[in-house]
Amino acid sequence: MVRYVALFGSINVGGNRLTMADLRAAFEAEGFADVETVVASGNVIFSHTRRPTRGLEEKLTLMVDD
């Protein structure tokens, strides 16, 4: 498995509130493995079996926006 990093901006800014536990759970529910968050920054380190496709960015954005 390859390790990846997702860097989200404005996760807990301006009224947006997402716990890192919820963020990790969302990644795990989508099939990502070894999910770790870095402090409360919204940065996520995860493993995935396949090379990311062009749709990965949109998928991650929808996960956070929900």
Side-chain angles (χ1 to χ4, degrees):
M1 262 193 223
V2 178
R3 297 287 281 169
Y4 297 95
V5 176
L7 306 172
F8 295 102
S10 304
I11 283 288
N12 285 324
V13 177
N16 296 325
R17 292 288 173 239
L18 178 64
T19 68
M20 295 303 101
D22 288 345
L23 183 58
R24 284 189 303 274
F27 269 73
E28 291 166 351
E30 291 296 327
F32 300 111
D34 305 317
V35 179
E36 301 174 46
T37 53
V38 181
V39 193
S41 65
N43 297 334
V44 183
I45 303 167
F46 61 98
S47 298
H48 195 50
T49 56
R50 296 181 310 271
R51 184 176 180 183
T53 63
R54 290 188 182 268
L56 181 60
E57 181 179 352
E58 290 80 10
K59 183 176 187 177
L60 297 177
T61 300
L62 291 173
M63 286 170 42
V64 174
D65 285 344
D66 283 349

